[in-house]
Amino acid sequence: MAAIEAEGLVKVYRSRGSEVRALDGVDLAVEEGTVLGLLGPNGAGKTTTVRILATLLRPDAGRAAVGGLDVLRDAQSVRKLIGLSGQYAAVDENLTGRENLWMFGRLYQLPSAEARRRADELLEQFGLGDAADRVAKTYSGGMRRRLDLAGALVGRPRLLFLDEPTTGLDPRSRLGMWEVIREQVREGTTLLLTTQYLEEADELAHEIAVVDHGLIIARGTADELKTRVGGERIEVIVRQRAEIPLAIQLLAPNGGSSFDEHTRRLTIAAGGGAQQLVDVVRRLGEASIEVDDVGLRRPTLDDVFLTLTGHAAEEEDEQEKESFGEERAA
């Protein structure tokens, strides 16, 4: 049995006589001890899916189970299994970092002394030990995000829902957060992750599900999804515009190339891989064509998004951006 399952989830938001079908039959399965990255363009339905699975929102149709428990019939039991970190840091700004985590521990029904020990442990793990006794309203945005994720881990959850967990973090803090997430997975935690950072899904997710208009339109590993949009390519940035026609004639005499006039980037299919790249460099050198850059490129998750949805990855739609602030599962 999968740790997280969903079948035919439907959710419709109604307002002032209009309706938005946020989910239109979502099916999901996340195996125990793995990370599923949930990706999609603006308003795709990612956050709505997380809220249903975390028992914060009732679906209009379909069923879902977390840890083998139905999210509607067994909502209270589900909440004992999960940790949740939403798009916005759900911390009490008038409490210190230590007090926030102690409070979360008590909400998870830990004895007071154990909640205090767990708070101290997480404050150190997340690099907040020096700020433990400062009130949270003096924290930077990145510190609040780390405190919020620490709060989701107080109860040592078997399943973790992270909705854009590194939004607002600087690159160094983001890398640190990735390592914390990897450690949770190494310890056996099952994770459902939504993110607007495609490299984050590439780094962390065992599988990726692409959501668009409330439906899962593609699923697979990052490599499998990239393969769907085409193979490797060689990109050449020609230094002199006057030499571009000659470069195209040399490298793609039978067509099959594309050229960006603004960036002077010539792109050709690379069925021959690295050996073809060596040949390209040799031909350009023999023709005395100067280049600013040349390289073998693989498709990126950005390419996957553009191909599958027609959109780049964007931040969540405003209707889905309702804060988890007062709705943390505990």
Side-chain angles (χ1 to χ4, degrees):
M1 178 184 297
I4 301 171
E5 293 181 292
E7 294 180 0
L9 290 182
V10 173
K11 183 62 185 178
V12 180
Y13 292 109
R14 297 177 176 86
S15 176
R16 300 175 183 176
S18 64
E19 66 177 40
V20 175
R21 204 169 184 85
L23 300 183
D24 196 21
V26 165
D27 298 321
L28 276 180
V30 187
E31 296 303 316
E32 188 170 351
T34 66
V35 181
L36 177 68
L38 202 58
L39 305 181
N42 211 15
K46 304 187 297 292
T47 294
T48 296
T49 301
V50 169
R51 297 185 71 186
I52 289 173
L53 294 172
T55 75
L56 300 178
L57 190 67
R58 295 180 66 90
D60 294 316
R63 61 170 293 274
V66 174
L69 301 170
D70 187 275
V71 298
L72 295 180
R73 291 196 311 268
D74 307 307
Q76 193 61 38
S77 297
V78 168
R79 290 170 188 160
K80 294 178 181 179
L81 300 178
I82 67 173
L84 172 65
S85 179
Q87 292 178 12
Y88 303 95
V91 300
D92 189 323
E93 294 191 344
N94 295 312
L95 297 180
T96 67
R98 192 188 311 278
E99 289 168 342
N100 266 283
L101 296 186
W102 176 85
M103 178 183 67
F104 289 138
R106 296 297 287 150
L107 289 173
Y108 277 105
Q109 299 182 346
L110 298 180
S112 180
E114 184 178 347
R116 190 173 296 109
R117 284 194 299 272
R118 183 65 173 149
D120 291 343
E121 176 184 325
L122 288 166
L123 287 165
E124 291 302 321
Q125 183 178 359
F126 281 84
L128 295 171
D130 291 342
D133 296 313
R134 282 169 42 193
V135 293
K137 63 185 174 184
T138 68
Y139 283 18
S140 67
M143 292 170 70
R144 294 187 195 192
R145 293 297 297 161
R146 283 182 277 155
L147 183 63
D148 181 66
L149 182 53
L153 298 176
V154 166
R156 293 186 172 86
R158 285 175 44 197
L159 302 106
L160 192 57
F161 298 101
L162 301 182
D163 195 21
E164 300 191 7
T166 62
T167 297
L169 296 186
D170 59 68
R172 181 177 179 181
S173 296
R174 184 174 298 127
L175 292 174
M177 191 74 82
W178 288 0
E179 188 51 42
V180 170
I181 292 171
R182 290 189 186 100
E183 181 61 30
Q184 295 303 308
V185 177
R186 285 193 289 267
E187 292 177 0
T189 303
T190 302
L191 177 60
L192 180 64
L193 169 76
T194 78
T195 177
Q196 60 176 302
Y197 301 113
L198 301 183
E199 72 273 20
E200 189 159 273
D202 224 344
E203 286 284 336
L204 299 175
H206 296 95
E207 275 198 301
I208 296 169
V210 181
V211 190
D212 195 30
H213 297 295
L215 285 168
I216 304 294
I217 61 171
R219 179 166 177 167
T221 65
D223 285 342
E224 288 169 347
L225 291 177
K226 291 172 186 178
T227 299
R228 290 183 58 171
V229 303
E232 296 176 325
R233 61 191 185 272
I234 292 174
E235 294 182 352
V236 180
I237 298 179
V238 181
R239 179 168 297 177
Q240 302 296 332
R241 292 185 186 276
E243 295 180 336
I244 290 169
L246 177 58
I248 294 175
Q249 183 181 349
L250 280 173
L251 303 181
N254 300 316
S257 67
S258 62
F259 178 69
D260 186 317
E261 180 72 27
H262 179 69
T263 61
R264 295 173 281 112
R265 179 180 285 107
L266 173 63
T267 302
I268 59 175
Q275 185 56 49
Q276 185 176 348
L277 176 62
V278 172
D279 185 56
V280 164
V281 173
R282 178 184 59 77
R283 290 188 188 186
L284 292 170
E286 290 176 349
S288 298
I289 297 175
E290 295 183 328
V291 300
D292 289 332
D293 187 33
V294 58
L296 184 65
R297 312 283 190 244
R298 298 190 62 215
T300 66
L301 285 179
D302 274 314
D303 298 324
V304 172
F305 264 89
L306 289 169
T307 300
L308 295 177
T309 71
H311 309 279
E314 301 172 304
E315 291 187 12
E316 199 68 40
D317 181 72
E318 286 301 320
Q319 184 154 21
E320 287 203 275
K321 272 190 166 182
E322 298 174 22
S323 171
F324 286 103
E326 297 179 359
E327 300 175 297
R328 172 183 296 278

